[in-house]
């Protein structure tokens, strides 16, 4: 799981790749349409797509001469599940700290 998470978060660490993920929330798109929004050479853009595929965030399929990329929503679910685990733990800790601070404040006055 850790290796998957490393690839997942590494893929999302780049603004170009996050923009591609955002574009794909609207639905599958051909590589040419995704590339058109970015000012970079096609080989560079294809490397970004490869990182997203390796991170499990997207899949692609070629039909004729057109390669279509689609978001792999299960990857997002797994990533957010990992984040939620730690978010819930920290929220619990912060809630306890807030209650303690309130208690201390009431004893001072």
């Amino acid at each position: 799981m850790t290796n998957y998470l490393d690839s997942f978060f590494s893929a999302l660490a780049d603004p170009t790749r996050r923009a591609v993920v955002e574009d794909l929330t609207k639905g599958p798109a051909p590589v040419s349409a995704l590339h058109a929004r970015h000012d970079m050479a096609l080989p560079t853009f294809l490397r970004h797509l490869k990182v997203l595929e390796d991170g499990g965030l997207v899949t692609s399929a070629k039909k004729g001469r057109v390669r279509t990329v689609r978001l792999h929503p299960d990857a997002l679910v797994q990533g957010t599940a990992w984040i939620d685990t730690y978010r819930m733990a920290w929220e619990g800790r912060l809630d306890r700290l807030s209650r303690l601070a309130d208690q201390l404040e009431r004893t001072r006055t």
Side-chain angles (χ1 to χ4, degrees), residues 59-70:
T59 58
S60 67
K62 190 171 185 179
K63 187 172 183 181
R65 295 179 58 169
V66 177
R67 179 166 296 279
T68 301
V69 182
R70 67 185 71 244

Side-chain angles (χ1 to χ4, degrees), residues 2-39:
T2 300
N3 206 13
Y4 164 76
L5 286 172
D6 290 348
S7 298
F8 174 83
F9 287 115
S10 179
L12 290 175
D14 183 86
T16 297
R17 294 190 289 266
R18 286 193 307 271
V20 169
V21 169
E22 185 177 334
D23 290 344
L24 291 174
T25 62
K26 300 171 187 111
V31 170
S32 59
L34 293 169
H35 174 247
R37 289 199 48 213
H38 302 278
D39 185 26

